Amino acid sequence: MSIENLNVELSKLIQDLRVRVFGKKPNLSDIDPNFGRQDFKKHGVDYSIPKKYKRHLIIPVHPPRFAYLVNAFCNVDKKKSDDVLLTIVLTSDVECKMFENYLEMSGYKFPIPIEAISALGICEQFSLPSIVQCIRENKNNGIVNFKKMVAIYRALCLGVEEITCIDSDVLFMDHPSKMFDRLQHNFMKKEVLAGHSGMAANIVKETANFFPLEDEKKILGIMNDGKLYSWFFDAPYYPRKATIGWFAQFIMHFGSVENAFYHLKWGTFEHMIFQFYCLLYEDFKVVDIRPFTGDRVPDELWLSEVYDVIDRTGYHPTWSNLGGLISYINEEQKARAKQEFEVAIHVDRVPARLDW
C-alpha cells in the first residue's frame, strides 16, 4: 500500500458518515484492519522502528521547553514495559539538531524508546505543502495544534493502535504504559467530563465552529452554549478505530485532511475537536461536574475537588494539576494521589507560596 492510497482508504468511510445528515450514527465497524500500514521505505524514509510500537506518546516541544521534557520522565523506571514509543515533535530539522545537542550536553538518557521528528518534515513526506507554510508562519497562532495533528496523522498512517498527545509541561509518576491502560479503560466509558468554562467559553465555541453548521449547533447544545469546558480533565486518547472515523469526518467536511489542518487556529483545541466528534458519532455523553466543582475550570481544581468528582462519578482521570497535588495537601491525600494518578500536568503553573 502506498501513501497515495491513504485518502482513498479513508474515503471508504465517508459514505457511512454521510448518514449523519439523517441523524443516524455512522457505522465504522468495517474498517480495514490493515489501513495505513504502508511501506514507507518506498518514500526514502525507514519507519521500521516506530512501526514496532503500537502505542505512541506524542509530545510537541520547542527549545525553551527542553528542560521540562527531560524532567517529565525522572520518575520512570527503565526496567518496566517498553511498549510505548515517545515521539518528540520538533518544528524543524534545525530544532531536531538543537534537541540532539541538548541531550548530548546534558548527558540525559530517556528511560523509554524515543524518536525526534520534525513537523515540517512530516508535512513534506506526507504531501501537506500548505501546512508547511502554516507552520512556518505560525498561522492563526496555531503552531502547536498543527504539530500535534500532523504527528497524530503520521502515527495513524504507521498503523499505531493507540495514541496520546500531550504537552511537555508534565511529570510522569509512573511508566507511560500505565497511563495508556487507564486511558483505554476510561475511553470505554464513553463519557466526556466537563466543568465550568470560565474564560474558555470562546474556545469551546471556536472549536465547535470547526464542524459543519448542523454539527456546530448540536455541539453548542450539548456544551451548554460554551458554558461547559472539557479540555484538561483527562489526557487526550486516540484509539485507532475512532481516530480513523474522525479523520474521515475531516475529509467529508473539508475535502481533505490537509484542508482540515489548514483551518486550525490557536483556539481550535485538537483534543476537544476529537471529543466533539465522539459526542456526535461515537455515542459519548457529557458528564457535567459543575455541581461538584462550582465555577472553576477543570485544570484548576484542587486535589480534594478532583477526588470529589472521582468519588461521585466513578471516573478516574489519569492526571491532575501539579499545583493541586503539592499545595495544601494532607498526608492521606498525598498517599492516595500516588496511587490515583499517573501524570501531573501544568508543571509550569505551580503557584508561589508567600505564607512562610
Side-chain angles (χ1 to χ4, degrees):
M1 182 183 297
S2 69
I3 193 168
E4 288 77 15
N5 293 127
L6 177 58
N7 282 345
V8 175
E9 293 295 324
L10 274 169
S11 66
K12 292 178 181 178
L13 301 176
I14 293 177
Q15 292 304 316
D16 288 331
L17 282 167
R18 288 193 190 282
V19 301
R20 69 182 175 77
V21 175
F22 305 103
K24 299 178 182 178
K25 177 181 180 295
N27 176 17
L28 303 178
S29 61
D30 58 348
I31 292 174
D32 179 0
N34 293 314
F35 161 75
R37 293 178 171 82
Q38 304 171 35
D39 183 3
F40 284 90
K41 291 183 181 179
K42 293 179 180 178
H43 302 274
V45 180
D46 184 354
Y47 284 105
S48 59
I49 293 176
K51 288 173 72 173
K52 294 178 182 178
Y53 302 93
K54 299 306 180 185
R55 289 175 160 178
H56 279 209
L57 167 60
I58 296 172
I59 302 183
V61 69
H62 66 143
R65 295 275 172 151
F66 286 172
Y68 283 104
L69 180 61
V70 166
N71 188 64
F73 294 88
C74 64
N75 291 327
V76 175
D77 188 343
K78 297 179 182 179
K79 297 179 181 179
K80 291 190 176 180
S81 170
D82 64 352
D83 62 339
V84 177
L85 177 71
L86 170 60
T87 298
I88 300 165
V89 188
L90 290 306
T91 301
S92 63
D93 290 342
V94 171
E95 283 194 359
C96 285
K97 184 60 178 177
M98 291 174 68
F99 185 67
E100 179 185 332
N101 292 342
Y102 180 87
L103 293 181
E104 183 178 347
M105 292 177 67
S106 68
Y108 181 77
K109 303 292 185 183
F110 281 92
I112 64 174
I114 71 163
E115 60 172 347
I117 60 175
S118 158
L120 291 175
I122 295 173
C123 293
E124 292 169 359
Q125 293 156 9
F126 284 77
S127 302
L128 303 171
S130 66
I131 311 306
V132 170
Q133 199 63 21
C134 289
I135 292 173
R136 290 191 184 281
E137 296 177 355
N138 190 15
K139 180 176 179 284
N140 297 321
N141 294 316
I143 188 168
V144 68
N145 293 330
F146 292 124
K147 289 169 69 172
K148 288 178 178 179
M149 289 303 299
V150 299
I152 292 169
Y153 184 49
R154 169 183 177 268
L156 187 69
C157 293
L158 288 172
V160 174
E161 297 295 337
E162 299 174 78
I163 304 164
T164 185
C165 183
I166 61 178
D167 297 322
S168 59
D169 54 337
V170 299
L171 178 64
F172 282 90
M173 295 183 285
D174 208 330
H175 194 280
S177 62
K178 295 289 186 68
M179 177 185 66
F180 273 96
D181 291 344
R182 177 77 64 87
L183 290 171
Q184 183 184 67
H185 174 79
N186 287 346
F187 190 82
M188 298 301 292
K189 290 178 176 291
K190 292 184 175 288
E191 294 177 346
V192 173
L193 272 67
H196 180 64
S197 61
M199 296 179 66
N202 287 337
I203 294 172
V204 178
K205 293 178 180 179
E206 190 162 3
T207 303
N209 186 247
F210 196 74
F211 288 78
L213 180 59
E214 177 188 343
D215 286 350
E216 179 184 2
K217 291 177 179 177
K218 291 178 182 177
I219 292 165
L220 291 178
I222 294 169
M223 303 304 287
N224 196 6
D225 196 32
K227 296 182 177 65
L228 280 171
Y229 182 55
S230 55
W231 187 196
F232 285 123
F233 187 77
D234 202 0
Y237 177 68
Y238 306 103
R240 182 173 182 79
K241 182 177 177 180
T243 307
I244 289 177
W246 182 37
F247 275 67
Q249 194 272 341
F250 284 163
I251 291 175
M252 188 174 69
H253 178 39
F254 291 101
S256 68
V257 170
E258 180 182 14
N259 200 32
F261 291 172
Y262 186 83
H263 286 82
L264 291 169
K265 304 176 183 177
W266 177 87
T268 48
F269 287 6
E270 84 296 332
H271 183 219
M272 289 208 310
I273 298 174
F274 182 65
Q275 288 178 320
F276 293 168
Y277 166 80
C278 288
L279 288 168
L280 291 170
Y281 299 117
E282 295 288 335
D283 288 337
F284 276 55
K285 66 178 181 180
V286 164
V287 177
D288 186 350
I289 63 174
R290 289 177 299 178
F292 322 135
T293 60
D295 294 338
R296 301 212 304 124
V297 295
D299 50 324
E300 292 182 356
L301 301 178
W302 292 110
L303 195 60
S304 58
E305 295 169 320
V306 177
Y307 287 159
D308 196 24
V309 174
I310 292 172
D311 294 339
R312 290 173 180 265
T313 67
Y315 188 106
H316 293 250
T318 191
W319 67 19
S320 189
N321 166 359
L322 183 64
L325 287 171
I326 66 176
S327 302
Y328 304 102
I329 182 172
N330 60 40
E331 290 302 313
E332 182 181 352
Q333 288 177 327
K334 184 165 64 175
R336 180 178 176 181
K338 289 181 178 180
Q339 298 296 320
E340 191 75 61
F341 306 107
E342 283 74 46
V343 188
I345 62 171
H346 294 333
V347 171
D348 59 341
R349 299 189 196 178
V350 176
R353 291 290 300 273
L354 301 176
D355 56 353
W356 44 270

